[in-house]
Amino acid sequence: MRISVAADSKDGVAVRVVSELRGRGHDVLTHGALDDGERDDWAWACERAARDVADGLADQAVVCCWTGTGASIAANKVPGVRAALCVDAYTADGARTWNDANVLALSLRLTSDVVLGEILDAWFGGRPSTDPADVANVAHLAEI
């Protein structure tokens, strides 16, 4: 799977996200502080990663900033993106299952290496629900 990753700094798990994804066999595109030639502000970096998903250059994205909030807000401004700020595995599984989230937002401050592994396991293990109510909710997002 091709995954776009953005971070506004190399603090916390930013670099670890890239190595963990590559270690799981994913092709990784980097943005922001993870790419020396790009602007590293959270709004710009996370928009680029989200646009990779919306434009079909990436299947999914992981966006990071200190709290994860700005990263998720920036990504969600891109049409077709459903970004979810996840601080634990349960939330990541739910975001994939019930929301068919295609962008994972992480806090560089709160996410430890151990929790990162758990979140990624749940994220990639989760599958979008086929329950009609869940499908209808996700479809309605495109109409809003």
Side-chain angles (χ1 to χ4, degrees):
M1 183 181 306
R2 180 168 254 191
I3 302 173
S4 187
V5 180
D8 63 349
S9 74
K10 291 184 180 178
D11 294 312
V13 295
V15 174
R16 171 78 186 212
V17 169
V18 173
S19 64
E20 182 71 25
L21 292 172
R22 287 185 175 142
R24 292 171 182 242
H26 299 290
D27 182 22
V28 178
L29 304 168
T30 56
H31 295 292
L34 303 171
D35 184 322
D36 291 332
E38 289 190 7
R39 186 171 181 162
D40 63 0
D41 298 286
W42 59 266
W44 282 265
C46 296
E47 175 195 5
R48 289 198 65 164
R51 287 202 186 281
D52 284 350
V53 173
D55 294 344
L57 300 173
D59 301 298
Q60 296 183 6
V62 179
V63 295
C64 310
C65 69
W66 193 240
T67 65
T69 305
S72 65
I73 291 170
N76 276 317
K77 297 298 272 182
V78 177
V81 167
R82 293 174 304 283
L85 174 56
C86 299
V87 297
D88 58 36
Y90 182 79
T91 306
D93 179 63
R96 291 288 298 131
T97 302
W98 301 309
N99 312 125
D100 192 12
N102 53 11
V103 174
L104 170 62
L106 296 173
S107 166
L108 295 175
R109 179 181 178 272
L110 296 177
T111 309
S112 68
D113 286 345
V114 171
V115 171
L116 173 64
E118 293 170 354
I119 289 171
L120 293 176
D121 287 344
W123 183 266
F124 292 115
R127 298 288 175 259
S129 171
T130 58
D131 179 275
D134 295 330
V135 171
N137 275 300
V138 172
H140 183 65
L141 294 174
E143 300 168 7
I144 296 176

